[in-house]
Amino acid sequence: MPPPQPDSLGPALSPLPSFSRLALIGVGYIGGSAVLAARRAGLVGHVVGYDVSAEACRAGQRKGVLDAGAATVADAVRGADLVLLAAPVRSLASLVRELAPVLASGATVIDVGSVKADLLAAAEAALPSGQFVGCHPMAGAEFFGVEAADDGIFAGRVCFLCPPRNVKASAMDAAQIFWRGIGCRLATIDAETHDRLMAAQSQLPHVAAYALAGALLPSIPFLDSTTAEASPTTSLRDTTRIAASSPAVWRDILLANAKNLLPLIAELESNVAQIKAAVAANDAAALERLLARGQTVRQRLVKP
């Protein structure tokens, strides 16, 4: 497959090189998908993985993501020219500190995490040589586990690059080569802006979906006993889809970005309370105003 053409958000680069050895730290859905896409594009040679679950590494080998599993982070990283961190977000800062002593001088470290500010601060401290680039590909679905890895999920999707202040030009080049090579468009953004954006556009919707699904728990006996042809409705399926995502993954994401997320949860609570009050008061005019406000925001944010 020919490599994707450079996008309009960054400079044209030289022909794609091959990363001779890639270390994948955290062998799951997103990291596994990225490696499969990189293999298809001819970007990587030998891939060594590490995960706290040895079974995840074995599954990664069966899936064709890994050539080998490593017993430690250091064993996976030693000799790699590209390190991809795809572990839970609250573990990433400690992983950067753990791999720093064995990282080759010309290697680059990238990640896929959806919270950036604290990680960049840790990376600047642990890797003063500027070998880290924060990355967040806006791809994926509610699936989890390396068995679900899919090499097509990155095509045409935006990958945010959040470089620390001390980033080396060679590290930025490597990050751009990797993500462009697997089909992403690139946009550079500062970490604080990224985290605020993700709280609104990704993390709050997950809170709402999990809360909505959880609110139906008392109704499960009734819903289970109903055999209507339309069950579950499209409304329920659509609004709760992302509640099928990994609770462990989203636990870490929500906690890691609590500063930006908590004010938005308060706004969600306020909106639900207003709708509840209008329904309780049988106030049709107030209820319609509240629903129209939500419709207007949705139409502005989500284009057809």
Side-chain angles (χ1 to χ4, degrees), residues 3-17:
Q5 295 301 307
D7 57 72
S8 60
L9 297 175
L13 300 176
S14 58
L16 298 177

Side-chain angles (χ1 to χ4, degrees), residues 254-281:
L254 301 183
L255 291 174
N257 203 22
K259 175 183 73 173
N260 291 299
L261 181 59
L262 284 172
L264 295 174
I265 293 177
E267 286 291 335
L268 176 62
E269 291 174 328
S270 174
N271 276 264
V272 171
Q274 291 175 62
I275 291 173
K276 177 183 176 183
V279 171

Side-chain angles (χ1 to χ4, degrees), residues 185-210:
R185 297 180 294 118
L186 306 183
T188 300
I189 188 172
D190 70 89
E192 294 289 349
T193 300
H194 169 276
D195 290 356
R196 186 177 175 188
L197 179 65
M198 289 303 102
Q201 293 198 354
S202 177
Q203 292 148 23
L204 184 67
H206 277 79
V207 169
Y210 282 118

Side-chain angles (χ1 to χ4, degrees), residues 19-267:
F19 297 101
S20 61
R21 179 179 168 112
L22 182 147
L24 176 62
I25 310 301
V27 184
Y29 169 57
I30 294 294
S33 296
V35 170
L36 287 180
R39 285 193 183 279
R40 184 181 65 177
L43 280 170
V44 298
H46 192 69
V47 180
V48 179
Y50 169 79
D51 196 281
V52 292
S53 165
E55 175 54 32
C57 285
R58 289 190 288 269
Q61 289 177 274
R62 292 193 297 270
K63 183 75 176 182
V65 171
L66 303 180
D67 295 300
T72 68
V73 171
D75 287 343
V77 169
R78 193 174 286 110
D81 47 4
L82 184 68
V83 179
L84 176 58
L85 301 179
V89 293
R90 289 208 297 167
S91 70
L92 296 181
S94 62
L95 285 171
V96 169
R97 290 189 288 268
E98 186 175 353
L99 66 84
V102 298
L103 187 67
S105 60
T108 297
V109 182
I110 60 176
D111 78 304
V112 298
S114 56
V115 184
K116 284 286 171 277
D118 290 345
L119 174 58
L120 260 65
E124 285 186 300
L127 296 171
S129 54
Q131 295 169 262
F132 176 82
V133 182
C135 305
H136 182 199
M138 300 296 290
E142 67 273 18
F143 310 120
F144 54 95
V146 71
E147 296 89 347
D150 177 357
D151 65 6
I153 66 172
F154 301 99
R157 306 307 295 269
V158 169
C159 180
F160 286 117
L161 301 184
C162 301
R165 289 166 296 184
N166 68 342
V167 68
K168 288 170 62 175
S170 60
M172 280 294 289
D173 284 348
Q176 291 178 47
I177 286 165
F178 182 82
W179 294 113
R180 280 207 187 112
I182 66 173
C184 289
R185 297 180 294 118
L186 306 183
T188 300
I189 188 172
D190 70 89
E192 294 289 349
T193 300
H194 169 276
D195 290 356
R196 186 177 175 188
L197 179 65
M198 289 303 102
Q201 293 198 354
S202 177
Q203 292 148 23
L204 184 67
H206 277 79
V207 169
Y210 282 118
L212 173 58
L216 291 173
L217 180 61
S219 300
I220 286 292
F222 165 71
L223 296 173
D224 279 348
S225 67
T226 302
T227 57
E229 291 290 331
S231 294
T233 63
T234 303
S235 298
L236 181 61
R237 191 181 297 273
D238 288 352
T239 55
T240 61
R241 178 185 62 80
I242 54 177
S245 304
S246 166
V249 168
W250 281 94
R251 171 202 64 202
D252 279 9
I253 292 170
L254 301 183
L255 291 174
N257 203 22
K259 175 183 73 173
N260 291 299
L261 181 59
L262 284 172
L264 295 174
I265 293 177
E267 286 291 335

